[in-house]
């Protein structure tokens, strides 16, 4: 049972008069903002996870908030679903179009509206790329902290929709911790401003990570941080994965919280080394990349403590980046790990479970065992500091049954994460991809509470239908398959 | 002690009978959820205790009726603290009440507030359903973020039964430096300069022409800061007096005088606290939800959790 849309298991989509829709949209959008030909729609048929694909009825590329409002108004009147898409780098089929709906792409809403260097806030449109924010504020000695590996391409609107993380979450938090306010266009056409200062329940927190099901973010004010004056990046090698995992827990237990703490196993680090020439030790069983930042005196003190801890945990070598160029190289290897691993096999499938740190060793053993069982190699790259795993399952989709096998292996890993007290997604989101596992992580009453919350924002259910929260029918079906498997 | 069964039964009974409930922790903030005359009380006073705490995971799970002070003492025993410092009224506040109110303390402008430290919770909604959201790990985006939605809900969406919270290591050392400044903007400019230079500022207040800054971190870094920044070394008790609302201002006021905490984000006057541009909240009559922004949306969210309005006896949407 896959995450593919299934009429028997998912809510039926409304019947839409495409001609009437195109006529209505053409009246409010310039011709170049409305794509209707199949060859124009094809590039939008999937997001960063191409296992689920669909062509939307039309794709719209509004370049102003007024145009977004006009599109929403057309869709509301005609009862047409809307899927919002940022840069399309998401890894959970959150921006996969629905066949009976409009795909609303925010990439042309790409203005940095204002920078308040004193208050350390930047007001931006949703299509602004993550890294473009840091670039725009660098002259003030500031940066935007959340840094997903896709930060060159991904947009802040998508980051807000998914509550995106990154390699420096350990110290700086996720998107939720770095956004001051969001202006949301709801399906009823209203502009609602949600801020961290609001009295009452934290609606801003509920909106962030709602995967396009609550509203369309049309303006986002992010918090900025001063660029740390001192940074040290350590590349630490181990000759066993177990030692490396233990080093992570030991560090945290000793009261050292690095800005980032990333782990790669041998398959991943060799692929990254071949791809990026980052200077990783190819013979290591696993490496940690650890970054410390802050005032020079405290960074120096923490580095000393950290090196001692790493040696005590069995590190075979410790290298500190000599300068910014070498630091960038160390990170380039890590941040290009996905495309690097992608060169090993025609396809890869990236998982995103999170577990308590103490269980890292156990889950890695389990992944290894399942990898042999399904006969599919797995490369492990992850945010070790916060227990967020990114096992990359390697396969060849041209071989019959290979994709299904990869999806089964992925499901096994996610369900193991739940058993260990973790979660099926740390930062990539549920989308269509993990829709079945939601039935394992949550009870029917909890899922129904999610549906009621969704209806509070979007009573007609027109925003990103079929994503994130499974139907009761799908849950029952998936749970019965699981219990049969156990029996 | 685990009182969850009795609490869930009481909510289910109220839902069935259509009566109202007023959630009460230790009663340190009686103004938080004002009730109609005949409203029945739901007490969390007996629902206490730490459920799970492994310091290496930087997470603690605790029953909502546990006193903040008790929780913090248990964390301090392991060299840790909560990643926020919510106000502790009369030293009696519970963690559930602190999260329901959602007021972030002095640390919030630099290290995050209550909502940044909530990782997961167990709650009962207005239908008497026992629900769990979020979890015990740092990163978790499965489903909507109901755990953080509950921060600031003042008991109007349901009863928080258990909380999983992020904890952090206690700083090696903390010091407080005081500097005379003419006004709030110059106080903020000084803080901007200090944080920009990488000093580990963890709190900043301005009142009576004085900026007080707390630095938390490695001893060597604080020695460097003291030498470089100057200012007068003061007692750290100042922050405690703000947190416990022991400062005289909270009780009888200073005429027109104001006290700015959280680097100006929070403004205290006599019996009242204002955050940012939001409406001030009175320490006598509590938050006025009629002044909350986005009323229509908020009312639908309240309805989604508590369709029978058993937790919203007065101060209607």
């Amino acid at each position: 049972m896959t995450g593919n849309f299934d009429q028997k298991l998912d809510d039926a989509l409304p019947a839409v008069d495409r001609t009437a829709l195109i006529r209505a949209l053409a009246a409010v959008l310039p011709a170049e903002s409305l794509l209707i030909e199949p060859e124009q729609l094809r590039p939008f048929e999937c997001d960063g996870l191409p296992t689920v694909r669909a062509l939307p009825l039309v794709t719209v590329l509004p370049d102003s908030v007024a145009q977004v409002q006009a599109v929403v108004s057309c869709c509301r009147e005609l009862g047409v679903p809307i899927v919002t898409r940022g840069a399309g780098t998401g890894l959970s089929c959150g921006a996969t179009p629905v066949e009976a709906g409009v795909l609303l792409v925010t990439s042309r809403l790409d203005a940095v509206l204002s920078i308040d260097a004193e208050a350390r806030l930047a007001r931006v449109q949703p299509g602004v790329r993550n890294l473009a924010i840091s670039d725009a504020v660098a002259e003030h000695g500031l940066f935007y902290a959340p840094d997903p590996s896709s930060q060159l391409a991904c947009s802040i609107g998508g980051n807000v929709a998914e509550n995106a993380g990154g390699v420096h979450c350990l110290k700086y938090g996720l998107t939720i911790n770095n956004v001051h306010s969001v202006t949301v266009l709801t399906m009823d056409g209203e502009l609602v401003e949600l801020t961290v200062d609001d009295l009452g329940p934290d609606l801003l927190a509920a909106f962030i990570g709602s995967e396009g099901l609550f509203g369309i973010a049309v303006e986002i004010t992010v918090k900025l941080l001063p660029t740390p004056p001192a940074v040290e990046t350590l590349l630490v090698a181990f000759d066993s994965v177990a030692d490396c995992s233990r080093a992570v827990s030991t560090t945290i237990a000793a009261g050292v919280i690095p800005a980032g703490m990333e782990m790669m196993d041998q398959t991943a680090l060799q692929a990254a080394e071949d791809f990026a020439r980052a200077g990783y030790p190819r013979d290591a069983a696993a490496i940690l990349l650890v970054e410390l930042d802050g005032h020079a005196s405290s960074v120096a003190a923490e580095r000393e403590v950290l090196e001692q801890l790493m040696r005590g945990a069995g590190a075979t070598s410790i290298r500190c980046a000599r300068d910014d160029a070498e630091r960038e190289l160390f990170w380039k290897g890590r941040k290009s790990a996905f495309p690097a691993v992608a060169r090993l096999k025609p396809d890869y499938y990236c998982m995103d479970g999170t577990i308590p740190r103490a269980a890292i060793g156990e889950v890695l053993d389990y992944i290894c065992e399942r990898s042999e069982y399904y006969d599919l190699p797995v490369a492990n790259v992850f945010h070790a500091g916060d227990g967020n795993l990114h096992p990359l399952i390697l396969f060849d989709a041209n071989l019959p049954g290979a994709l299904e096998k990869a999806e089964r292996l992925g499901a096994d890993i996610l369900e193991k994460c739940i058993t260990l007290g973790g979660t099926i997604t740390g930062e990539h989101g549920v989308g269509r991809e993990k829709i079945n596992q939601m039935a394992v992580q949550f009870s029917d009453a909890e899922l129904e509470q999610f549906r009621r919350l969704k209806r509070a924002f979007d009573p007609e259910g027109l925003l990103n239908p079929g994503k994130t929260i499974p139907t009761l029918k799908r849950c029952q079906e998936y749970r019965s398959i699981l219990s049969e498997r156990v029996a | 002690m685990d009182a969850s069964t009795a609490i869930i039964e009481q909510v289910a009974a109220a839902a069935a009978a259509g009566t109202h409930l007023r959630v009460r922790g230790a009663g340190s903030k009686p103004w938080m959820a004002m009730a109609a005359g005949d409203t029945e009380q739901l007490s969390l006073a007996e629902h206490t205790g730490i459920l799970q705490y492994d310091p290496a995971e930087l997470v603690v799970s605790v029953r909502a009726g546990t006193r903040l002070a008790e929780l913090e003492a248990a964390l301090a025993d392991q060299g840790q603290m909560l990643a926020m410092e919510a106000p502790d009224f009369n030293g009696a506040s519970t963690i559930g009440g602190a999260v329901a109110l959602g007021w972030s303390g002095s640390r919030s402008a630099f290290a995050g507030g209550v909502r940044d430290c909530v990782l997961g919770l167990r709650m009962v909604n207005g239908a008497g359903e026992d629900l769990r959201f979020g979890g015990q790990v740092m990163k978790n985006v499965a489903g909507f973020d109901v755990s953080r939605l509950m921060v600031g809900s003042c008991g109007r969406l349901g009863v928080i039964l258990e909380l999983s919270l992020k904890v952090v290591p206690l700083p090696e050392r903390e010091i407080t430096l005081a500097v005379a400044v003419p006004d709030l903007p110059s106080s903020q400019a000084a803080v901007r300069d200090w944080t920009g230079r990488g000093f580990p500022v963890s709190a900043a207040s301005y009142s009576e022409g004085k900026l007080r800054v707390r630095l938390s971190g490695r001893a060597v870094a604080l020695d460097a800061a003291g030498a470089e920044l100057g200012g007068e070394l003061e007692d750290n008790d100042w922050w405690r007096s703000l947190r416990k609302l022991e400062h005289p201002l909270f009780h009888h006021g200073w005429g027109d005088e104001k006290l700015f905490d959280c680097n100006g984000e929070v403004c205290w006057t006599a019996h009242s606290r204002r955050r940012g541009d939001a409406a001030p909240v009175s320490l006598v009559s509590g938050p006025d939800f009629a002044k909350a922004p986005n009323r229509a949306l908020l009312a639908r969210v309240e309805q989604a959790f508590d369709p029978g309005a058993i937790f919203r006896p007065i101060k209607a949407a």
Side-chain angles (χ1 to χ4, degrees):
Chain A
M1 183 174 161
T2 70
N4 283 324
F5 190 79
D6 182 337
Q7 286 200 322
K8 291 195 292 290
L9 299 176
D10 298 300
D11 284 331
L13 292 169
V16 173
D17 179 347
R18 184 168 187 257
T19 316
L21 173 69
I22 291 172
R23 201 182 311 122
L25 291 171
V28 296
L29 291 174
E32 71 272 15
S33 301
L34 177 59
L35 311 181
I36 56 174
E37 301 301 332
E39 62 271 23
Q40 294 177 306
L41 300 176
R42 191 66 64 194
F44 298 100
E45 66 179 354
C46 63
D47 62 9
L49 179 57
T51 54
V52 184
R53 295 165 195 260
L55 282 189
L57 289 178
V58 300
T59 293
V60 296
L61 294 137
D63 62 12
S64 69
V65 175
Q67 286 183 5
V68 181
Q69 285 177 294
V71 170
V72 164
S73 154
C74 287
C75 290
R76 184 178 60 246
E77 274 157 34
L78 297 170
V80 183
I82 298 178
V83 175
T84 312
R85 172 185 162 118
T89 57
L91 292 170
S92 58
C93 302
T96 309
V98 294
E99 279 163 0
V102 166
L103 185 73
L104 189 156
V105 181
T106 59
S107 56
R108 288 187 186 166
L109 294 163
D110 62 350
V112 174
L113 299 169
S114 64
I115 296 165
D116 184 342
E118 295 200 348
R120 291 183 178 152
L121 297 171
R123 204 161 57 89
V124 300
Q125 289 190 310
V128 173
R129 290 175 305 107
N130 173 295
L131 198 57
I133 301 177
S134 289
D135 288 345
V137 302
E139 60 174 311
H140 303 287
L142 300 170
F143 75 112
Y144 174 65
D147 56 345
S149 295
S150 57
Q151 70 182 142
L152 254 176
C154 66
S155 66
I156 187 69
N159 291 176
V160 166
E162 303 297 324
N163 190 13
V167 298
H168 289 88
C169 287
L170 187 55
K171 178 168 177 183
Y172 296 112
L174 290 94
T175 305
I176 175 95
N177 311 107
N178 291 278
V179 167
H180 175 274
S181 55
V182 179
T183 305
V184 178
L185 177 62
T186 57
M187 207 53 217
D188 59 13
E190 267 190 70
L191 286 172
V192 173
E193 199 194 3
L194 307 175
T195 89
V196 287
D197 293 333
D198 292 346
L199 178 69
D202 199 331
L203 296 176
L204 175 64
F207 181 80
I208 294 173
S210 62
E211 303 196 6
L213 273 78
F214 285 0
I216 301 166
V218 293
E219 202 177 292
I220 296 145
T221 301
V222 298
K223 301 183 195 172
L224 306 169
L225 290 171
T227 314
V231 183
E232 292 270 27
T233 309
L234 279 73
L235 172 60
V236 190
F238 294 86
D239 58 16
S240 94
V241 172
D243 283 351
C244 187
S245 313
R246 253 196 315 276
V248 176
S249 287
T250 315
T251 304
I252 305 289
V256 178
I257 312 289
M261 197 174 202
E262 300 285 306
M263 180 168 168
M264 296 167 86
D265 71 5
Q266 192 171 48
T267 311
L269 76 90
Q270 288 184 351
E273 177 59 21
D274 293 343
F275 184 86
R277 303 278 164 220
Y280 296 166
R282 291 182 54 90
D283 56 341
I287 56 167
L288 283 181
L289 267 184
V290 191
E291 191 152 281
L292 301 167
D293 67 16
H295 193 267
S297 58
S298 72
V299 170
E302 298 222 307
R303 177 180 161 184
E304 205 173 300
V305 175
L306 189 73
E307 288 193 12
Q308 258 174 24
L309 289 166
M310 291 294 148
R311 274 192 214 98
T316 50
S317 77
I318 302 175
R319 267 177 61 200
C320 192
R322 282 178 309 248
D323 48 28
D324 285 347
E326 192 170 38
R327 173 177 6 275
E328 270 167 38
L329 206 52
F330 282 1
W331 281 115
K332 189 181 167 205
R334 165 60 188 87
K335 291 196 176 183
S336 57
F338 291 9
V341 167
R343 303 199 308 177
L344 302 178
K345 284 267 181 179
D347 301 281
Y348 73 93
Y349 181 31
C350 171
M351 310 311 297
D352 177 42
T354 301
I355 48 162
R357 285 176 205 92
I360 291 177
E362 184 180 347
V363 87
L364 286 177
D365 288 345
Y366 177 81
I367 292 172
C368 196
E369 182 249 305
R370 290 277 90 185
S371 156
E372 281 166 21
Y373 174 83
Y374 290 103
D375 194 23
L376 292 175
V378 176
N380 284 294
V381 179
F382 55 89
H383 309 303
D386 33 38
N388 185 196
L389 315 166
H390 291 318
L392 301 166
I393 301 167
L394 306 175
F395 66 104
D396 180 353
N398 290 319
L399 300 176
L403 172 62
E404 289 69 26
K405 236 167 45 164
E407 288 184 332
R408 276 287 299 277
L409 171 51
D412 285 357
I413 295 171
L414 294 188
E415 285 151 27
K416 180 72 174 178
C417 291
I418 301 175
T419 315
L420 292 170
T423 175
I424 57 174
T425 173
E427 56 181 3
H428 294 173
V430 175
R432 272 312 283 185
E433 184 211 2
K434 304 175 195 82
I435 195 98
N436 292 330
Q437 281 71 43
M438 288 293 280
V440 184
Q441 184 158 339
F442 294 99
S443 71
D444 285 343
E446 288 154 358
L447 291 165
E448 183 52 29
Q449 184 63 76
F450 284 146
R451 290 185 204 106
R452 288 200 300 266
L453 179 57
K454 151 79 171 170
R455 286 196 292 271
F457 280 87
D458 173 26
E460 307 298 325
L462 290 176
L463 289 169
N464 218 1
K467 308 284 177 65
T468 309
I469 311 300
T471 60
L472 189 57
K473 219 186 285 175
R474 179 172 277 278
C475 294
Q476 286 164 343
E477 181 76 14
Y478 191 68
R479 290 190 193 121
S480 83
I481 289 173
L482 283 188
S483 60
E484 273 168 35
R485 214 188 282 167
V486 172
Chain B
M1 186 182 124
D2 182 3
S4 57
T5 310
I7 293 168
I8 294 165
E9 280 171 5
Q10 194 183 351
V11 176
T19 50
H20 295 309
L21 288 176
R22 178 185 178 209
V23 187
R24 186 182 190 274
S28 70
K29 306 179 276 285
W31 40 264
M32 183 167 79
M34 302 294 279
D38 59 350
T39 299
E40 186 188 334
Q41 182 171 293
L42 186 152
S43 172
L44 283 133
E46 303 295 311
H47 190 57
T48 58
I50 290 173
L51 292 162
Q52 202 180 332
Y53 176 39
D54 175 359
E57 295 297 334
L58 300 180
V59 179
V60 64
S61 297
V62 62
R63 293 198 184 98
T66 310
R67 304 266 174 135
L68 257 181
E70 188 187 322
L71 173 59
E72 284 171 351
L75 298 176
D77 277 348
Q78 301 294 325
Q80 295 189 331
M81 62 180 191
L82 289 173
M84 51 90 169
E85 44 187 356
D88 186 5
F89 294 83
N90 305 319
S93 292
T94 63
I95 183 65
V99 170
L101 183 62
W103 284 4
S104 298
S106 304
R107 204 173 296 276
S108 68
F110 307 96
V114 174
R115 52 103 80 162
D116 297 295
C117 134
V118 172
L119 300 175
L121 55 70
R122 177 183 174 200
M123 64 174 287
V124 199
N125 65 8
E129 291 171 320
D130 183 356
L131 310 170
R132 286 173 193 272
F133 299 104
Q136 293 167 308
V137 287
M138 292 299 138
K139 291 164 87 178
N140 184 357
V141 296
F144 304 132
D145 200 343
V146 175
S147 313
R148 291 191 177 96
L149 174 70
M150 293 296 287
V151 177
S153 62
C154 292
R156 294 165 67 88
L157 302 180
V159 188
I160 299 172
L161 286 178
E162 296 169 9
L163 286 156
S164 291
L165 304 160
K166 182 180 162 184
V167 302
V168 292
L170 279 169
E172 199 172 279
R173 192 191 293 173
E174 289 200 318
I175 59 168
T176 300
L177 298 173
V179 184
V181 286
D183 51 23
L184 177 66
S186 38
S187 144
Q188 290 170 321
V191 171
R192 208 157 43 237
D193 173 43
W194 294 15
T195 52
R197 285 151 73 187
F199 291 112
V201 174
S202 69
S205 74
Y206 171 77
S207 58
E208 295 181 296
K210 197 189 255 189
L211 159 67
R212 287 184 179 85
V213 168
R214 182 179 62 194
L215 297 139
S216 310
R218 296 270 159 200
V220 284
L222 299 200
D223 290 343
E228 226 179 289
L229 302 175
E232 203 175 311
L233 200 60
E234 274 199 5
D235 207 301
N236 288 326
D237 279 354
W238 169 253
W239 308 105
R240 197 191 119 90
S241 83
L242 296 189
R243 190 166 178 212
K244 307 250 176 198
L245 289 92
E246 284 164 356
H247 194 281
L249 167 71
F250 300 117
H251 307 290
H252 26 80
W254 289 343
D256 294 334
E257 195 61 53
K258 289 174 180 151
L259 189 157
F260 292 92
D261 194 9
C262 307
N263 200 24
E265 288 173 12
V266 169
C267 172
W268 290 96
T269 49
H271 304 296
S272 159
R273 175 191 191 265
R274 185 165 56 80
R275 183 179 160 82
D277 296 328
V281 175
S282 155
L283 295 186
V284 179
S285 57
D288 182 356
F289 280 86
K291 290 190 182 142
N294 308 312
R295 279 308 311 153
L297 175 60
L298 195 50
R300 291 199 300 273
V301 169
E302 288 174 347
Q303 189 69 16
F305 280 83
D306 178 21
I310 67 170
F311 297 117
R312 284 165 285 150
I314 63 161
K315 295 190 178 176

